[in-house]
Amino acid sequence: MPAITVDDLTVLPRLSAPGLGDQPRPVWSVTTAPQGYEGEGFPVRRAFSGIDLRQLDPFIMMDQMGEVEYAPGEPKGTSWHPHRGFETVTYIMDGTFDHQDSHGGGGTITNGDTQWMTAGSGLLHIEAPPESLVQSGGLFHGLQLWVNLPRAAKMSAPRYQDLRSTDVALLTTPDAGALVRVIAGSVGGHDGPGSTYTPMTMVHATVEAGAQLELPWTVEFNALVYVLSGRGTVGVDQRPIVAGQAAVMGAGDYLGLAASGTQESRSPSMEVVVVGGQPIREPLAWAGPFVMNSKDEVLAAYQDFQRGAFGHPVGA
């Protein structure tokens, strides 16, 4: 899981330890992600399945794609499909992924890069491994997070952000026991490159075996911790958590994680993604690729898609 790494963590800016009076966030729940398949058959874990949407707000869902070692000819993606009313955030830790959309956005991302697509008023897009990866096979591992848009921004113009791993803010803990990658939002005064309509933060952290991470977190944001690999504990009550599980955190100034002293040989450290944002607290109507505020708006999205208002597949 390369993402972006640093040979010497001691050269990075250090997160401050919690101050006097700072409140740790308690653990409300720990859930296990079910596994399935998406698109033309790549394996996914539904990271936030079973969590109440009110606790997820402003997020809709998150898929862990892979981790899978493809044989030649096996890599798969999606066909052209529509979206409206939200943003998709695709973060690739291993492998390579191509994106194209009907509004001219697109590019190729690889180890540690992120594609941030604001569907807004509506577009078509396609996601797939490049032909070179299809021919050679290889390791593939990524995430896709769906971020809701507030009513005022749902019909905004679509846009596309290509966030390179070299743009991510890199931090470490006081004892240099964890690498913290800030993709969007702010952690301890350090900002990630992602520009968001909905105030939020997204972090990928590598916590070495036996190390702890105390992550300052915006008080007004919710907080969700998902374990990509490894095992450890979360919260001051040290709730056990393993790969494929998500923890919903309560209110507080910071959240705490710890990696178990002994990890599996294939996962020498604990890899976690932490997301949180300002809850939108608006009515939600979600059907397939459309996330709106009412059923009538979802129906209108389907009608607009059918009459070609979202554009046409590139090259069609």
Side-chain angles (χ1 to χ4, degrees), residues 267-305:
S267 302
S269 56
M270 183 182 180
E271 301 279 349
V272 300
V273 168
V274 186
V275 297
Q278 180 74 54
I280 295 173
R281 297 192 177 95
E282 292 178 351
L284 184 69
W286 172 21
F290 307 126
V291 181
M292 306 302 292
N293 294 114
S294 70
K295 292 181 179 179
D296 286 346
E297 290 171 342
V298 171
L299 179 60
Y302 275 107
Q303 292 171 338
D304 287 346
F305 165 58

Side-chain angles (χ1 to χ4, degrees), residues 31-115:
T31 56
T32 300
Q35 299 187 54
Y37 293 90
E38 184 64 32
E40 296 180 5
F42 57 80
V44 299
R45 280 180 167 174
R46 306 292 188 193
F48 295 155
S49 179
I51 300 174
D52 192 299
L53 282 172
R54 290 171 294 184
Q55 294 178 332
L56 290 181
D57 187 11
F59 309 107
I60 304 299
M61 57 171 278
M62 187 169 76
D63 282 348
Q64 180 182 7
M65 305 180 292
E67 178 177 5
V68 59
E69 183 77 39
Y70 282 121
E74 284 187 342
K76 297 177 175 65
T78 68
S79 56
W80 284 94
H81 58 283
H83 287 307
R84 172 181 280 180
F86 66 103
E87 301 180 293
T88 64
V89 181
T90 306
Y91 175 57
I92 297 299
M93 289 161 285
D94 285 294
T96 307
F97 216 42
D98 285 341
H99 168 98
Q100 250 185 326
D101 66 53
S102 55
H103 280 253
T108 299
I109 56 173
T110 187
N111 308 333
D113 298 334
T114 302
Q115 291 170 337

Side-chain angles (χ1 to χ4, degrees), residues 140-163:
F140 182 82
H141 191 197
L143 287 174
Q144 187 170 94
L145 173 71
W146 287 18
V147 186
N148 196 11
L149 288 171
R151 188 193 305 270
K154 282 196 177 293
M155 298 301 287
S156 58
R159 68 173 179 174
Y160 176 83
Q161 299 176 69
D162 188 359
L163 310 178

